[in-house]
Amino acid sequence: MLAEATAALTARPARTLLTALGTVLGVAALVATLGLAKTAGGQIVGRFDELEATRVEVSLDNGGFFGQQDNRPNPLPFDAEDRLTRLNGVAFAGTKTSIDLEGAFARSVPVVDPLGQTEFQVPMFSASPGLFDAVRGQLETGRWYDHGHNDRGDAVAILGPAAAERLNINRVDASPAIFVGEHTLAVVGIIRAVEREPDLLSAIIVPDGWARTTFGIVAPEEVHIDVEVGAAQLIGSQAAIALAPNDPDLLRVAVPPSPGQVRRDVEGDVNALFLVLGGISLLVGAIGIANVTLVSVLERTGEIGLRRALGATRRHIATQFMFESAVLGALAGLIGASLGVLVVVGVSANREWTPILDEWIPLAAPPAGAIVGLVAGLYPALKAASIEPISALRSG
Amino acid sequence: MAPVVHLDRIERTFPGTPPVHALRESNLTIEKNDYIAIVGPSGSGKSTLLHLLGLLDRPTGGTYWLDGVDTASLDDTARAGMRAERIGFVFQAFHLLGHRTAVENVMLAEIHRRGGSKQRRERAEAALRRVGLGHRIDAFPTTLSGGERQRVAVARALIGGPSLLLADEPTGNLDSKTSESILQLFDDLHAAGLTLAVITHDDDVSERAQRRIRIHDGVLTPLTELVDRGAR
């Protein structure tokens, strides 16, 4: 029966291919869609921002300044750095707290310049020494302040490049002094760049120890953690407990989405749209097969009558036409899968992506095409089976 | 031994207003190795009789025994099996599949028949040689002449060793010279023991038969009785 079905198809290859074209395109669209979605998803993971993937941030859940506005105690400790660096997977950690200067101006060594402005409002942050590594800062000149400065509450400051320029400070080898309101600070370093928390670039950064005694800060506002690649989810689940074992629920831990989640999201987005398109073209392909098979049934009434005369039952005739359209569909699935794979590879080569394709997709395409063909062939086959041999033989 | 065909008061009426009586209470017996011709003008019921004999249609009345089997007792599948095993058809329009070679067209007859498929090609080639087409085994019907095509059709009808060869206007599409060669082939097959029933309106064709039966308005009338029936 299979041989009979394929013989009828191979007799007119051009027509067979045209008939199958719709299904070919449908299957190709589906395979290409699934492949491209997978490839694009893989690509996004490949390009996935290493900077973002290693960033974990902990802050008070109410988002209030100083953690006190909501009458909720801020459980963040000043020794956050020590607590977190003990966790396996944490590379660096540091606290960051914005300080309300209440409008105080900052200025450097007074120079009498009647034309130039010498006093500025510059934002100030207090930070633990680990913050500079946690935000991946680079120094332009000087040094970071260290735990010694922090523990002693030394009046030292690091300037962001923007702040340094406004204050007209470009060398720190003599530890130039700046004045913020009534306080005097010795500048020990100037930042060149940070990869996170860019608001540090325009700010004066002082040690937590000095800020606590000078401004009465009771708890850090934010804790920034630089984690090992791949540890973000783990640290995200541990950080709150490590920082506030009594009330971890008060803390909000911001972790990057897991790579798997990102990939699924991307695949989902791409898939949803194109699967619908692929499905539609498959439907159109099935209608095409049904249509041409129906025409061919009418055209081959003579053959059907002959086969009936030669002893074929109605079931034989129906089976033969079903087989024909199923073989046609399988063939279309095969060609379509090949085209789809070529599209995926071609697009990937063009974009210099790594093509990724689940192996089951090209394998499943021919059976899927056969099912499409089978469904499409159902009505024409029944039509063929209902042809009376008498009328069929007369017409031929 | 049971006759190949025995029709007992067979009737075929097509429903309609008024109903069409294509065949009325007809009796017909075809013995083994008979060569009969059924003649009649268009619309006389020739085709109806052919379809009844070929098990392509069911009578509305009467009984049809084929090789001693009451065909009314058979379901569609069994009737299809009887067609495959016992009846060979030859049509006016040949009904060859254009995209198959001669031998493949002949092999088509055995697809729905029991038996091994291994020697199918050999049997098909033997049947083609029997009708004198041993040299055109792998030719496509489009490259064959009308007479050759009809020979392929005859070979297809012969391959299973049918009890009855039913030919419907076998020379209707052929010129007189080719017709003659086909008729000669029928004579030869008959001489070799085959039972033939040829339906025609052509006197040249019917004269070759041993027995002629005229059909007019659904009624069968014998024209020539078999002369030497007792001798066989």
Side-chain angles (χ1 to χ4, degrees), chain B residues 56-89:
Chain B
L56 295 172
D57 196 7
R58 284 174 184 272
T60 46
T63 325
Y64 171 18
W65 281 277
L66 177 64
D67 279 344
V69 179
D70 180 2
T71 58
S73 66
L74 303 174
D75 62 9
D76 276 348
T77 311
R79 287 161 65 88
M82 288 282 271
R83 281 202 297 275
E85 306 277 341
R86 315 222 173 178
I87 296 170
F89 287 92

Side-chain angles (χ1 to χ4, degrees), chain A residues 56 58 87 225 227 231-241 253-256:
Chain A
V56 175
V58 186
L87 295 179
I225 312 169
V227 300
Q233 306 296 317
L234 175 71
I235 298 304
S237 65
Q238 294 174 346
I241 298 168
V253 181
V255 292

Side-chain angles (χ1 to χ4, degrees), chain A residues 54-96:
Chain A
T54 53
R55 171 187 192 165
V56 175
E57 193 180 319
V58 186
S59 57
L60 192 64
D61 201 12
N62 64 12
F65 287 110
F66 293 179
Q68 299 295 333
Q69 292 192 345
D70 216 10
N71 291 329
R72 298 173 74 177
N74 182 346
L76 283 175
F78 277 106
D79 63 347
E81 204 174 312
D82 290 337
R83 295 188 188 213
L84 289 170
T85 45
R86 282 199 291 267
L87 295 179
N88 191 15
V90 172
F92 304 103
T95 60
K96 178 188 167 203

Side-chain angles (χ1 to χ4, degrees), chain B:
Chain B
M1 184 173 175
V4 176
V5 170
H6 181 66
L7 301 181
D8 183 21
R9 282 174 292 141
I10 209 94
E11 264 182 65
R12 181 65 171 99
T13 308
F14 292 102
T17 45
V20 178
H21 299 280
L23 213 54
R24 303 167 194 267
E25 296 223 355
S26 302
N27 298 306
L28 176 68
T29 305
I30 304 175
E31 298 288 347
K32 189 164 166 49
N33 202 18
D34 263 5
Y35 183 0
I36 73 158
I38 298 160
V39 294
S42 303
S44 57
K46 286 197 308 266
S47 294
T48 305
L49 181 60
L50 172 88
H51 294 141
L52 287 176
L53 287 174
L55 294 173
L56 295 172
D57 196 7
R58 284 174 184 272
T60 46
T63 325
Y64 171 18
W65 281 277
L66 177 64
D67 279 344
V69 179
D70 180 2
T71 58
S73 66
L74 303 174
D75 62 9
D76 276 348
T77 311
R79 287 161 65 88
M82 288 282 271
R83 281 202 297 275
E85 306 277 341
R86 315 222 173 178
I87 296 170
F89 287 92
V90 174
F91 305 99
Q92 176 176 3
F94 319 139
H95 286 297
L96 300 178
L97 300 190
H99 298 279
R100 311 285 185 89
T101 62
V103 71
E104 283 171 344
N105 265 289
V106 175
M107 284 158 67
L108 205 60
E110 289 216 321
I111 281 172
H112 302 293
R113 190 174 295 161
R114 287 187 299 270
S117 57
K118 283 180 186 168
Q119 290 87 32
R120 188 178 286 171
R121 190 178 171 91
E122 289 169 30
R123 284 196 298 270
E125 289 177 1
L128 280 170
R129 277 194 290 274
R130 195 172 167 194
V131 299
L133 277 180
H135 59 298
R136 304 300 309 262
I137 280 171
D138 289 316
F140 283 94
T142 41
T143 67
L144 296 173
S145 72
E148 286 173 327
R149 290 186 205 184
Q150 195 59 297
R151 282 167 188 270
V152 173
V154 172
R156 183 178 62 196
L158 288 178
I159 182 173
S163 309
L164 174 67
L165 185 79
L166 273 179
D168 182 14
E169 301 280 10
T171 60
N173 284 5
L174 302 174
D175 61 39
S176 56
K177 189 160 167 275
T178 329
S179 297
E180 173 57 32
S181 74
I182 293 291
L183 292 175
Q184 184 59 48
L185 176 62
F186 281 2
D187 286 348
D188 297 345
L189 293 172
H190 176 232
L194 192 69
T195 313
L196 292 102
V198 179
I199 291 179
T200 184
H201 66 269
D202 185 344
D203 289 341
D204 288 344
V205 176
S206 60
E207 276 168 10
R208 307 292 283 256
Q210 289 174 311
R211 196 149 63 102
R212 292 206 290 171
I213 293 155
R214 188 166 178 272
I215 182 168
H216 189 76
D217 287 342
V219 181
L220 294 177
T221 327
L223 289 179
T224 326
E225 274 302 327
L226 192 66
V227 184
D228 53 349
R229 191 173 187 172
R232 289 175 191 267

Side-chain angles (χ1 to χ4, degrees), chain A residues 276-326:
Chain A
V276 169
L277 291 177
I280 290 174
S281 40
L282 209 57
L283 186 69
V284 172
I287 293 172
I289 289 188
N291 212 351
V292 178
T293 311
L294 196 59
V295 170
S296 119
V297 164
L298 298 178
E299 196 182 81
R300 287 160 65 186
T301 44
E303 179 191 332
I304 294 164
L306 172 77
R307 286 178 184 277
R308 293 293 302 276
L310 292 177
T313 58
R314 287 180 195 279
R315 183 176 298 175
H316 287 141
I317 299 291
T319 313
Q320 188 199 337
F321 276 89
M322 295 281 280
F323 254 104
E324 273 190 34
S325 57

